[in-house]
Amino acid sequence: MMHKLFTSLLALGACLGVFAQSSRIPSPKEHFGFNIGDNYQLANYTQTEGYFKKLAAASPRVKLQSIGRTEEGREQYALIVSSPENLARLSRYQSISRQLAKAEGITEQEARTLANEGKAVVWIDGGLHANEVVGSHQLIETAYELASRTDPETNRILDNVIILLVHANPDGQELVANWYMRNPDTLKRSVDQLPVLYQKYIGHDNNRDFYIMNMKESRNMGKFMYQDWLPQIMYNHHQRGPEGSVLAGPPYRDPFNYFFDPLMITGIDALGAAMYNRLNAEDKPGFTRLNGSSFSTWYNGGLRTTAQYHNMIGLLTEIIGNPTPEKVPVVPQRLVPNGATPNPVTPQDKWYFRQSIDYSLSLNYAVLDYAARHRDELLYNIYKMGRNAIDKGNKDTWTLSPSHAAAITAAYQKDHPLTPEQAKNQASDPYGWMTRGSNIDTKYYDAVYKDPNLRDPRGYIIPLDQPDFGTAVKFVNALIRTGVDVQVATEAFTVGGKSYPKGSFIVKTNQAFRPHILDMFEPQDHPNDFQYPGGPPIRPYDAAGWTLAYQMGVRFDRVLDGFEVPHKMSEGLLQEAPKGKAIAGKAGYFISPQANNNFIAVNRLLKAGVPVFRLTAPVTGKSALPAGTFYVPGNAKAAAILSDAASQLGLNTIAANSRPRRLLPASQARIALWDTYGGSMPSGWVRWILEQYEFPFDVIYSKDIDAGGLKAKYDAIIFVTRAIPAPGGANNNRGYTPKEPVEAEIPEQYRPLLGKITVEKSVPQIKQFMEDGGAVLTIGSSTSLAYHLGLPVKNALVETGADGKETALPGTKYFVPGSILAVSVDTLQPVAWGMFSKADINFDNSPVFKLGAEAAEKGVKPLAWFSTDRPLRSGWAWGQSYLKDGVAAFSAPVGKGILYAFGPEITFRGQSLGTFKMLFNGLYGASNPGPTINLPAGN
């Protein structure tokens, strides 16, 4: 009896202690001056940072951790929230989470023991897309609720879960909140028409950066997720929901990636059920899922999707909501309950910000409650997925995919052709109800899924002795940043009869993160996805194909059998290119144009006033040199710069023992990069690329162009995709036309950014710039400048109707959403120097040209073209045969200057390093070649 009384008193004391502690937790209103979710109120990051610090100081449940600095230099924070007892043993629970996720050297029984001991780890982020303000503000409110609430559910969550509350974009929250709150008239406040991107370089594309991690914020979050914690669940908050709904969430529509473990997909299903069941129980309608929205789990590269390739249950919701009240519009087709939307929301003239915050809290608590109740299951399942991946990487494995399934069907139908009636029945019977009991013999299955040549690789070897090993190092570091283990050969070795040098990289697939490894090396095999047989295609959520090794131009070998090499492990440490050697000959140095990092060295030479030249033709023989090789006469200044570059960049020079003849001077061009009010993401990516490779440049806007006199200021101008309007006045925004800002309503410092490129005013100035000797580089849709200039080129992707008129090919015949295609390249043209005769390019229904009969006589030259009717390398290319002989890129003289038109996205999201050289070459004197210089022979 006394024991029970003592226990009760202890419990009461604990409750009183928690109550006393919670009473000291500052509420958001006490700190911000308003409740989170109040109409017309937004908190900026400076205020939020201050509140996070107060919570950490006041609550024993909260630990504040900086995960790094942002691109603008702000501290990026995560809150680690759990019970005080769990926080006291945080390193132990972190170790268990990591051990189980990596799944190495642990038996099943040991895994179950660790799962019983450990705590579930759940990541919840907010603010990635900063104008989606629900995300950042639900994060604040969630932190407060978890720090202050004492109800049984919260206590159960805190006892069983370690919550990582991660702010995804501090810079963006500061910009958006300040922009919204700048107007004293609350009715005029808006998060729209921001003057610049809400991430310094890439804005919305910050959610497309997570398999390469170019941005500092991505790297901060990547380290916290893939190296420090390895959570079992990650929840990525976004908006906005589809019209007529409140939010879209899990589970998602097909297709999902075939490298995934099925436990990850069914794990999403289970969490989705917990989320929408809770909303329904709380009378919160409007959740749509599956094909009720456009979101799938196919794409890698997003904050939540890259996590899915690491066996984490990656969740995304897209919700409506704004501090300025909005409405839920009438969308009749969403008012009828169905499997996608079992509980529709009714139209509402006023939807308040707080409602979206409340929905978000319910969703967070649904996820956290599920994690608390299924803690051991989540921990064991991530181990099981990792163990499955390791086992697959240790044996012969075939990935189930559309192309393999199609190969079975094709082989069978070759031997058993379908009658017209059978073909008709098959097309109208996608689920096989009328054709039960398939007649396809298993030998057709075995012909594919027992074909040793179609096995998944046991590993990949990235040889040291490739022309651009510096870029290969960047690729390997992208893998390491996502938690992939990489081996570095400690001595020369031989695999499959091929010899490799010491320092080569080896990436084995017998790792827990095998799905991600395969996805970075192997082609994506996107299914043919149509609304109905013979109907229009369904556009993927993002890209259909992105194989990073292809985009970066990395050379590697696939190894299908088990192998071992002498090595050391990367152990999470970023790799560096081996130090190079700046070897001087009697006449100076040769520098290869095939390595991207070498352009940094050249830019440093030019900045220092060191003369640099380029070979206008390849040199054959023992010391073969490709066209475009840089030649640097030897002197002390050049020696110092190249010595530093050899140490820092891995640059290797070739001794020039005699001065070559027929050289072209490489000058440091005065470069202008187009941008626009609100910020262009493609322009931001190019801005970042130019900074990384140390090209000096100015950013200019339409008003600068319309003012004229461009050649007096610049030698080259870059127009990225969506800069130049399409012929006929159509926009390049896939049907979306943003509202133009009113100049009087824009702060004065941003007014020079206003305006658009127009055919009437801007194009004549651009033409004059080229006629005066300037070079213009156009990318993607901006290649339409060629049409405005009247150049002898046509759209190659058209068909002629019965009336004799040409129209664009319909989607039912031709559709290539973001994919990797192969092109042939004319490597003798200056803009393609350093490229190889075949290149992988990023293609997103990009422009393809047909050169007119008079093109050659007018100096129009193809730079890259499709030489086969099957150029697809990764992704989806419906009707790809239409591409054969189409020109992907060309050059054309305009007056004294030149136009370069690159249909493919040669700078795509800072990922397509394999085609960066086309941009770089166009920014030297080679973009507008002057007279060839014949230097006197001699030393």
Side-chain angles (χ1 to χ4, degrees), residues 216-263:
K216 291 178 180 177
E217 296 90 343
S218 307
R219 292 178 180 181
N220 296 340
M221 288 185 278
K223 181 178 184 302
F224 196 58
M225 182 182 292
Y226 300 118
Q227 296 185 20
D228 295 350
W229 274 103
L230 299 169
Q232 295 84 57
I233 301 172
M234 75 82 58
Y235 181 8
N236 182 213
H237 281 263
H238 282 267
Q239 65 188 98
R240 61 175 302 115
E243 289 288 279
S245 70
V246 175
L247 75 147
Y252 308 102
R253 74 173 181 88
D254 285 336
F256 65 77
N257 193 287
Y258 312 113
F259 296 141
F260 287 156
D261 191 289
L263 269 173

Side-chain angles (χ1 to χ4, degrees), residues 416-435:
H416 306 83
L418 291 177
T419 66
E421 185 67 20
Q422 288 173 324
K424 179 182 177 181
N425 290 339
Q426 191 175 86
S428 62
D429 184 31
Y431 300 107
W433 289 107
M434 307 304 293
T435 54

Side-chain angles (χ1 to χ4, degrees), residues 129 196-208 215 542 673-689 720-722 733-734 905 907-910:
H129 290 160
V196 295
L197 296 168
Y198 53 67
Q199 193 279 348
K200 182 178 179 180
Y201 293 102
I202 60 173
H204 197 85
D205 265 0
N206 62 358
N207 199 30
R208 306 296 186 270
M215 297 295 113
D542 195 85
L673 170 64
W674 168 88
D675 205 341
T676 187
Y677 181 90
S680 157
M681 289 182 286
S683 178
W685 277 117
V686 173
R687 178 159 42 99
W688 180 80
I689 292 167
V720 296
T721 198
R722 294 189 291 278
N733 298 314
R734 293 178 182 157
E905 299 292 337
T907 57
F908 184 72
R909 291 175 177 165

